[in-house]
């Protein structure tokens, strides 16, 4: 379920007030016929038009996993990078097919699309 208020306050402090965006939220739809399709966003790319260039895109890639009391932080970090790699490669492929007109395409050619990764300290659940 959704994190409780105090959990969100702790995350806000630990993550230095950086917004998670849609990461870890629920994404889906409910149709008029009552059918529903939902998923949890654990691997994502958010592309927004750049304010710097007319045809450029800002790219933010998110990935993560389930951290438990027995998790090893280095292993979890490596797993997160592995999960983000497929999303990064997909964005690079998309950018390379945009005829080189955008900063995203130039960044993909130079392999510079960043994966936003920051080591997080596990929260003490006591």
């Amino acid at each position: 379920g959704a994190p409780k208020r105090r959990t969100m306050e702790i995350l806000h402090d630990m993550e230095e007030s950086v917004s998670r965006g849609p990461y870890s939220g629920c994404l889906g739809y409910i149709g008029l016929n009552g059918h529903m399709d939902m998923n949890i966003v654990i691997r994502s790319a958010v592309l927004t038009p750049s304010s710097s260039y007319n045809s450029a895109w800002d790219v933010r890639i998110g990935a993560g996993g389930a951290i438990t009391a027995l998790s090893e932080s280095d292993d979890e970090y490596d797993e997160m990078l592995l999960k983000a790699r497929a999303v990064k490669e997909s964005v690079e492929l998309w950018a390379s097919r945009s005829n080189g007109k955008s900063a995203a395409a130039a960044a993909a050619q130079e392999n510079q699309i960043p994966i936003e990764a920051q080591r997080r300290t596990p929260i003490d659940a006591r």
Side-chain angles (χ1 to χ4, degrees):
K4 304 295 183 223
R5 180 182 304 259
R6 180 63 185 138
T7 302
M8 295 304 295
E9 291 169 355
I10 292 169
L11 289 172
H12 181 26
D13 291 343
M14 291 178 70
E15 295 177 353
E16 300 174 357
S17 304
V18 175
S19 171
R20 289 180 170 219
Y23 173 74
S24 290
C26 184
L27 178 67
Y29 70 90
I30 300 174
L32 295 175
N33 61 359
H35 292 183
M36 173 173 85
D37 190 8
M38 300 282 181
N39 66 41
I40 304 299
V41 183
I42 59 171
R43 294 175 192 92
S44 61
V46 177
L47 286 74
T48 54
S50 174
S51 58
S52 304
Y53 303 97
N54 286 341
S55 61
W57 295 88
D58 291 325
V59 179
R60 184 173 179 171
I61 294 174
I67 296 176
T68 69
L70 300 176
S71 295
E72 294 290 334
S73 61
D74 288 341
D75 292 344
E76 293 295 335
Y77 183 76
D78 291 342
E79 181 181 348
M80 182 274 307
L81 291 176
L82 178 65
K83 289 178 178 179
R85 186 181 308 154
V87 178
K88 179 178 182 270
E89 290 171 357
S90 296
V91 171
E92 289 171 344
L93 179 61
W94 167 80
S96 70
R97 292 182 177 176
S98 68
N99 298 323
K101 295 181 181 177
S102 69
Q109 289 170 356
E110 296 174 20
N111 199 25
Q112 293 179 350
I113 294 178
I115 295 174
E116 294 201 23
Q118 189 174 20
R119 291 186 186 271
R120 309 266 192 241
T121 305
I123 297 173
D124 187 347
R126 286 180 269 151

